[in-house]
């Protein structure tokens, strides 16, 4: 690995860590970078997942205050993410890459639509709750089941490919929860981190020799710093600015996926 390649991969890791903390599509930076340097797609996917764990830790820590008061819901979402990630990691080692990557653009478009329409959906849900005599912040059994199922599905996707799983999570939560963007972003960071940890453990255990540890290490160093920086500035964004950032980066990611 040349010095230029090392620098580019580390910088890509920094960018991915920052983007993941704010939006959740950092893999769309690091994955194409590794592929461009000649890494096979599956090797790039596994090395990237291992490296981005560090950025997930720093990004989640940066949003720790926004996680307060969410544990009653997260105790359902966390197992769903972990089980989904385990299944997705298993699928990566068993199925052709095209099995999931062909539907990634469709999922990303659906998530972006949910991100954009989230405020209207939340307003509608609040109106229905008030009409039924419930508190607007009440999350019923039906919505909790839908949220858990959606979290599991995103976990499967994240364990397999990881790219843009944060946008998918924000889309699902935004459509179902009466939460602010920053609090949903904090939950997204934690759940995405867990998915990456499960995937990294699975890849390390089953396919240790297929991971490029030099590339993973460079991404880890870069993403650790990037996640901290992203969390610091992402927490200052208004809900509208954060939503706009998600949409813009999501569209860029969609373009890169289709172009690739």
């Amino acid at each position: 690995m040349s010095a230029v390649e090392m620098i580019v991969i580390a910088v890509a890791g920094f960018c991915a860590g920052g983007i993941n903390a704010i939006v959740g599509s950092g893999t769309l930076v690091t994955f194409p970078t590794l592929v461009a340097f000649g890494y096979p797609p599956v090797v790039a996917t596994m090395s990237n997942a291992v490296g981005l764990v560090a950025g997930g830790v720093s990004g989640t820590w940066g949003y720790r205050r926004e996680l307060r008061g969410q544990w009653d819901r997260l105790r359902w979402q966390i197992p769903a993410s972990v089980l989904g990630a385990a299944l997705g990691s298993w699928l990566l080692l068993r199925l052709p890459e095209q099995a999931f990557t062909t539907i990634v653009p469709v999922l990303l478009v659906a998530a972006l639509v949910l991100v954009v329409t989230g405020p209207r959906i939340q307003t509608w849900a609040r109106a229905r709750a008030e009409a039924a005599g419930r508190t607007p912040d009440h999350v019923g059994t039906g919505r909790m089941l839908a949220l858990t199922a959606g979290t599991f599905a995103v976990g499967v996707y994240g364990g397999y490919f990881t790219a843009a799983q944060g946008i998918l999570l924000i889309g699902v939560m935004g459509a179902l929860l009466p939460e602010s963007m920053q609090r949903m972003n904090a939950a997204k960071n934690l759940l995405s981190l867990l998915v990456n940890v499960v995937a990294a453990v699975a890849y390390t255990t089953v396919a240790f020799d297929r991971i490029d540890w030099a590339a993973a290490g460079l991404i880890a160093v870069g993403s650790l710093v990037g996640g901290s920086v992203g969390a610091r500035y992402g927490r200052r964004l208004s809900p509208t600015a954060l939503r706009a950032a998600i949409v813009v980066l999501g569209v860029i990611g969609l373009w890169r996926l289709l172009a690739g």
Side-chain angles (χ1 to χ4, degrees), residues 73-250:
R73 183 180 69 252
L74 286 170
R75 65 192 177 98
W76 295 99
Q77 287 185 276
I78 287 174
S81 281
V82 170
L83 292 174
L87 176 57
S89 301
W90 181 85
L91 290 174
L92 177 67
L93 299 171
R94 296 293 187 276
L95 298 180
E97 186 179 353
Q98 294 78 7
F100 269 40
T101 56
T102 51
I103 68 168
V104 169
V106 177
L107 293 173
L108 189 50
V109 168
L112 291 175
V113 170
L114 289 175
V115 170
V116 172
T117 59
R120 292 188 179 184
I121 294 174
Q122 289 180 349
T123 299
W124 173 78
R126 284 178 178 273
R128 285 198 60 185
E130 291 173 350
R134 300 189 303 268
T135 170
D137 293 334
H138 174 72
V139 179
T141 303
R143 275 202 287 174
M144 184 61 74
L145 288 174
L147 177 66
T148 303
T151 302
F152 173 80
V154 175
V156 175
Y157 167 82
Y160 189 96
F161 189 58
T162 73
Q165 65 167 315
I167 294 177
L168 295 175
L169 273 172
I170 289 290
V172 170
M173 290 190 290
L176 296 170
L177 296 177
E179 287 284 8
S180 68
M181 282 296 296
Q182 292 290 3
R183 282 172 61 80
M184 287 190 293
N185 203 44
K188 175 268 294 178
N189 284 343
L190 174 62
L191 295 172
S192 296
L193 168 61
L194 293 175
V195 169
N196 275 1
V197 168
V198 171
V201 170
Y203 302 155
T204 302
T205 303
V206 179
F208 185 91
D209 57 330
R210 300 180 67 184
I211 298 171
D212 189 293
W213 290 99
L218 290 169
I219 291 174
V221 172
S223 68
L224 182 66
V225 179
S228 179
V229 172
R232 178 180 179 183
Y233 291 100
R235 293 176 67 251
R236 301 178 184 179
L237 294 176
S238 68
T240 301
L242 182 56
R243 201 178 299 274
I246 291 172
V247 171
V248 169
L249 290 171

